[in-house]
Structures are given as structure tokens and as C-alpha cells.
Amino acid sequence: MSTGTGANRGGVILSVINTPTYAPIWDPYREGQYYNNFYGVNIAHPIENMARSKNNREKENRLLASGNATITFMPELIFKSTFSLDRRNALTTRFLDPVSTSRGREQYGEGYDACNMNTVLTFDNILTYNKTFKKHGLEVMAGSSWTDSDYRNSWINGTHYKDDQIQTLNAANKISWGDTGTGASEWGIMSYLGRASYNYDSKYLLTLNVRMDGSSKLHPDHRWGTFPSFSAAWRISSEEFMSGLEWLDDLKLRGGWGQTGNQSGIGDYAYLQRYNISREAWFETEKENSVPTISQANLRTSDLTWETTSQTNIGLDFTAFKNRLTVSLDYYYKRTTNMLMWVTLPPGAAAANTIQRNEGEMTNRGFEVTISSQNLQGAFSWSTDFNISFNRNRLEKLELQQVYYDANTSDVINENVVRNEPGRALGGFYGYISDGVNPETGELMYRDLNGDGRITSSDRTYIGDPNPDFVFGLTNNFSWKNFNLSIFLQGSYGNDIFNASRIETEGMYDGKNQSTRVLERWRVPGRFRKCLKPGLILKTQPIL
């Protein structure tokens, strides 16, 4: 919720917290209108925020269909063909009445309808050869996969209703030129894949994979990518020298390397130079000779290709005590290259200065542990599943744009609190270091990092890391006769949290309700002779 008319920054929950406790729901001087006059500041009442969605409707019809055919040429050679359809039709309607809500009053009522249809077709053909002879096992697979998507949508927005009784767009006296239109897009992927697996006596296992993918979203000269992978495993427990360990059921050492491609997160025509079309109300007297205007939306990317992740992993699995204890250990290292990103370029001759391109590199390395145990068996049983993972992320390189800012948490401050740059993990919090409160003036004291005697944006630095040291999960399942109880716990540890809600609950810059923490603020000179413990916070207006 903010000081703007009808704004709801932070959501309904924060809106409820910030609304002064004395506030009535309805304005006693304006019939049928929600109360929003708090000390002369127009702040939307939380009931009004919720009422805005009262007449919002969304419904969707979805058809899922699939069929397959299998041909067995011989017991070892099988061909399977699968075709599937996923069709979705959705309708969204919204209505703001012209009386009770501030946004509705500004527009004399507002109606909105949107329809969209998306059809995704998939056609897979897989040929598999599987042969076992003596202690040797061989499986070979080859095939293709084709996916096609067709999306269509239209939307219309109308305003100026006579009253709130007729809520259809037929009753709107004015149809918006800026929020009415149609859209369409298509994309497709063609893939060829193959796999060969060999094992000897279920003791030595080897798997080789390769796939070729072509995406219509990428430039025609670079849309095909080849992604190989291989893995190997050694079942140590099957060796003769392990035969004396009766408590051990299975012990396997495994490792692998592989590449995968990604083309998600970009537009269906990302490599093309696209344009925006703006319509003019030609029927108005002063615009009677107007025609639609066309402006450049983005720059062309002539080398847009696949984002590629290469991963190396090594792991150990073992099962013991007649399958009552299972442990899996994994170490991995991932390197992502040709990251698909939106890049903002310095202004130039072109009207647009944004481009989607392969921009940077990033690494992730980590360790994962999974443990499952059957603690008690019988009439009363108890089993436990535990997992914990450690991941370290690092942005390694960017090419054109060296710094990316994100997460503008408040229009009061209007500063991004996340800064991404090479050499650091993603999502780092960027702000000012506070050394406490000046006991004479009550103003927060910020650290002058560059030593120029002033506090400016140059004194901002990294003040927190949202990435956890580890994440974990613990599940306990209990069973007795026909009664079952499951207790699940999950969490993360070591990650910093940027509490932007405190800007709203402790800022004291308008008439919103505040938390009791503001009762401890500085009020008279000499208070806080011993400065507050230095903390890392974002620069805000001083609490007076």
C-alpha cells in the first residue's frame, strides 16, 4: 500500500498492518465509497484492495489427449510412436464499479475481457533394441521428438459505465485504444536422440547419450545444438572381495559428464527485430488524418543460440542392514555458458537499445546428501527421510552489460537493492552501511566508504547474500494399523533477508500505521549515547 490513489504496494497483508486502527471501512461523508483519507493522505483501505478482485473471474477449459502405437519387430526390437495434444482455452474478466473504489471512480467504472487459446502438439518416435546374453546386457535407443505450439489471444478494455448494475463490456461507453488488441505467436522444437547402455554382470555399467535439438526461437544459422553425455558406475558390492560384508546390501560408485541446452525465458521471435504499433483515435477531429505509428521494439540478434550447461558429477550409493538404511552422496559442478539475457545498450542511432543475446557465464557447485531409514518395522512402523544440499553460485563473466540491477522494493526510496556482477553470487543486496544513530541529531550515520566526506550513491556496497549456506528437508512417517501420520520439516540456513516491509512499518513518512518499534526511536539530543550496534541497512529517510 502506498500514498498513491488506490495503490497496494506490498499486498493485502501489509495493507492491513499499515491501515490505522481507527479507520472505518466506509467513508461517512461519501455514500458507497471506501474510506481512504488518513491525515490528508489518500491511502487505499485494505477492504477496498480486496474488493477490487471481487468481480474478477478466470476460467479455463483444457483438453488433454494422447495415443500411441507399438510395433514389435522381434522380442529385442520395439518401435513406439506417441502423439499428444494439449489445448487450453481461457477467459479472464474483470470489473471495477464506478463508485466504491478509487480506481473505478477515476475511470467511471472499468471492464476488461481477455481470451486466449494455446495448442501444443507433440509427436515422439522411439526405436529400442534390448539384448541380454550371458553376463552382458545391451540396450540401444534412437528416436525423434517434435513439438509445436500455437498461441492466440485478444483483449479489450472499456470504461465509463452508467452504474455498477451492468458489468459487461456492452455497457461501457468508451473502449480503450491503449489496452485493446490481439496477439499471436508460434514456436517449435525438433529433436533427434540416441542412447546406448551396456552392463557386465550388473557390476560395470556404462551409458552414452546424444541429442540434437533445433528451436525456432533461435537464429536459423545457430538454432541447432548437439548435447552429448555419458555416465559410468561400478557396483563394488558385487566384487568377490566384498562377499564377507553381510550387513552391506549394495554399494555403487558412479560418475558422469553431460551437456544440456536451454532456450526458455526468451520470446518466440527473440532473434528478430520487432516493432510496436500504436493506434490513434482517427475519428477525433484533430486526429482525423492520423495513421498507426510504428516504433522499433528491440535490436536484431544475428547469432542467438542455445544456452548450454555442462555438468560433472560423482556419487556414491549404498544400502545396508537388509535395505533398512539407504544413503546417497553426490558432488556436482555445473558451468553455464551463452546465458540468454536481456541486455540494455547505451543509447545510439537506433530507436531501441535492448537486445536478447548470449551474454555471460555462471557456475554452480555443490554437495547433496540423501538418507532414508526404516527405524521400526512391524505393527508399528517408523521411517525417516532426510536430505541436505549445499550450493555455491558465482557469476563468472558478462560481455556487454557488466552490471545488472534488480528488485526496486519501494517507490519511496526508488533504488534497486540487488546488484549482479561477475565475481559474485547472484542476488547480492546492495546498499549503505549504517553505523547507528547520531545521538545529537537523531539521523542515521552512514559509512563514507570512498572517503570524500559526503554520503552519495558511490558509498553503496554489498550488504547481504540471499543464497543459503544449505537447505534441508526431514520427513518422518509413522504407521499403526490403519492410522498414518507424516511430519515434514524443511528449511534453509545462512541466507540474508532484505526486510523491505520495515520501510512501510517504520518509515513514518505518512499517515500509515507503524509497528511498536518506532516507540524506541530517537527523540531528544543525547539519546543513544552509545550508538546502536552497527548494522547493514538500506538508506532511508531518518526517523524523527
Side-chain angles (χ1 to χ4, degrees):
M1 181 174 60
S2 75
T3 56
T5 57
N8 183 23
R9 183 178 65 239
V12 173
I13 294 178
L14 186 59
S15 175
V16 171
I17 294 173
N18 282 155
T19 300
T21 55
Y22 67 81
I25 296 177
W26 298 101
D27 194 319
Y29 304 105
R30 293 174 291 182
E31 184 177 356
Q33 295 185 20
Y34 290 101
Y35 187 87
N36 61 3
N37 186 18
F38 303 98
Y39 294 113
V41 179
N42 187 11
I43 303 174
H45 196 285
I47 302 299
E48 177 181 341
N49 289 325
M50 291 186 287
R52 292 178 183 177
S53 61
K54 179 179 63 175
N55 296 315
N56 294 352
R57 300 289 185 269
E58 294 186 12
K59 62 180 181 180
E60 180 180 87
N61 297 319
R62 187 173 185 181
L63 173 64
L64 295 171
S66 64
N68 64 79
T70 301
I71 301 176
T72 303
F73 296 103
M74 58 181 68
E76 299 85 5
L77 186 63
I78 298 175
F79 175 78
K80 184 175 182 179
S81 183
T82 303
F83 180 82
S84 63
L85 165 71
D86 184 356
R87 170 165 290 180
R88 309 175 72 160
N89 288 278
L91 172 64
T92 299
T93 61
R94 296 199 298 263
F95 178 76
L96 286 177
D97 71 75
V99 178
S100 63
T101 64
S102 56
R103 171 68 180 178
R105 290 193 299 274
E106 291 173 1
Q107 303 294 318
Y108 301 98
E110 183 177 81
Y112 175 85
D113 276 17
C115 301
N116 65 77
M117 180 178 70
N118 189 27
T119 303
V120 178
L121 302 175
T122 304
F123 187 39
D124 296 335
N125 293 278
I126 304 295
L127 181 66
T128 303
Y129 176 79
N130 197 326
K131 180 69 174 180
T132 301
F133 43 97
K134 295 184 178 179
K135 294 185 177 182
H136 303 273
L138 177 66
E139 180 180 335
V140 180
M141 182 272 288
S144 65
S145 178
W146 168 81
T147 301
D148 178 81
S149 173
D150 187 329
Y151 179 78
R152 298 285 186 273
N153 70 324
S154 62
W155 63 98
I156 186 171
N157 184 291
T159 60
H160 291 71
Y161 286 74
K162 178 176 176 59
D163 53 42
D164 61 353
Q165 302 303 312
I166 304 177
Q167 301 181 6
T168 71
L169 281 167
N170 294 329
N173 199 45
K174 184 178 179 180
I175 300 300
S176 170
W177 282 82
D179 198 14
T180 297
T182 62
S185 64
E186 297 178 321
W187 61 264
I189 296 179
M190 186 67 200
S191 303
Y192 301 97
L193 50 144
R195 182 181 70 235
S197 299
Y198 169 79
N199 77 81
Y200 175 76
D201 197 22
S202 296
K203 185 187 302 183
Y204 309 108
L205 304 96
L206 178 66
T207 301
L208 305 174
N209 293 276
V210 65
R211 63 179 297 148
M212 295 179 61
D213 297 301
S215 171
S216 65
K217 296 183 179 183
L218 307 174
H219 192 276
D221 295 338
H222 305 279
R223 64 179 37 158
W224 284 95
T226 302
F227 307 104
S229 66
F230 70 86
S231 62
W234 173 29
R235 180 161 278 110
I236 305 173
S237 56
S238 296
E239 299 289 352
E240 292 186 5
F241 62 81
M242 299 290 291
S243 59
L245 301 177
E246 296 182 357
W247 59 271
L248 183 65
D249 303 310
D250 186 58
L251 177 63
K252 182 170 67 175
L253 179 67
R254 50 185 169 77
W257 174 90
Q259 289 185 330
T260 56
N262 173 51
Q263 48 90 60
S264 62
I266 60 175
D268 294 342
Y269 308 101
Y271 69 93
L272 293 175
Q273 180 172 295
R274 293 170 292 125
Y275 295 88
N276 296 320
I277 299 178
S278 299
R279 300 177 299 166
E280 294 288 343
W282 55 268
F283 48 82
E284 297 178 1
T285 303
E286 67 275 12
K287 298 179 180 180
E288 58 186 8
N289 295 320
S290 298
V291 296
T293 59
I294 299 177
S295 60
Q296 189 179 16
N298 67 288
L299 300 174
R300 180 190 300 273
T301 311
S302 59
D303 58 352
L304 192 67
T305 189
W306 288 89
E307 176 181 293
T308 303
T309 297
S310 301
Q311 176 173 335
T312 302
N313 72 284
I314 184 170
L316 181 69
D317 302 324
F318 74 87
T319 303
F321 309 115
K322 297 182 179 180
N323 297 318
R324 294 186 62 176
L325 177 65
T326 301
V327 178
S328 179
L329 309 175
D330 272 288
Y331 172 80
Y332 62 87
Y333 174 80
K334 297 181 181 180
R335 188 175 190 90
T336 301
T337 58
N338 291 327
M339 292 170 58
L340 293 168
M341 303 175 65
W342 272 103
V343 181
T344 301
L345 303 177
N353 66 337
T354 59
I355 187 172
Q356 289 182 275
R357 68 185 307 272
N358 302 101
E359 170 68 2
E361 296 184 8
M362 180 176 62
T363 58
N364 284 278
R365 56 171 58 86
F367 184 67
E368 298 179 343
V369 179
T370 302
I371 302 174
S372 298
S373 64
Q374 299 292 329
N375 306 316
L376 295 174
Q377 294 178 323
F380 176 78
S381 63
W382 170 31
S383 64
T384 300
D385 296 307
F386 173 76
N387 64 81
I388 187 170
S389 60
F390 306 82
N391 183 76
R392 298 295 177 264
N393 169 266
R394 178 184 169 96
L395 183 60
E396 301 290 346
K397 183 174 71 172
L398 293 172
E399 294 187 9
L400 295 183
Q401 184 177 340
Q402 291 300 305
V403 177
Y404 285 78
Y405 291 96
D406 199 3
N408 191 320
T409 60
S410 171
D411 55 12
V412 175
I413 300 173
N414 196 28
E415 288 183 346
N416 292 298
V417 300
V418 168
R419 174 183 166 116
N420 295 314
E421 63 178 329
R424 301 189 62 91
L426 292 178
F429 300 139
Y430 201 71
Y432 299 88
I433 298 178
S434 170
D435 288 323
V437 176
N438 186 315
E440 300 301 323
T441 66
E443 295 187 359
L444 288 169
M445 299 183 296
Y446 297 101
R447 193 171 301 176
D448 182 10
L449 296 181
N450 61 7
D452 63 356
R454 300 180 301 159
I455 301 299
T456 66
S457 59
S458 299
D459 295 306
R460 299 177 74 192
T461 187
Y462 285 98
I463 58 175
D465 184 359
N467 300 287
D469 294 338
F470 60 85
V471 296
F472 66 93
L474 176 66
T475 302
N476 282 282
N477 294 300
F478 303 91
S479 178
W480 180 71
K481 295 184 177 181
N482 293 324
F483 296 93
N484 296 282
L485 173 65
S486 181
I487 301 176
F488 174 63
L489 173 69
Q490 66 177 2
S492 64
Y493 176 81
N495 50 302
D496 296 316
I497 297 175
F498 191 96
N499 190 354
S501 296
R502 291 181 61 186
I503 300 172
E504 304 293 323
T505 60
E506 299 177 25
M508 297 186 66
Y509 50 80
D510 58 22
K512 293 196 293 289
N513 189 37
Q514 303 288 277
S515 74
T516 56
R517 186 178 175 86
V518 302
L519 298 176
E520 303 173 5
R521 69 189 186 278
W522 180 95
R523 299 187 184 187
V524 295
R527 189 172 185 182
F528 300 140
R529 283 295 179 186
K530 293 183 179 180
C531 291
L532 298 178
K533 182 179 180 181
L536 304 178
I537 66 172
L538 182 72
K539 183 177 181 182
T540 63
Q541 297 179 0
I543 297 178
L544 300 177

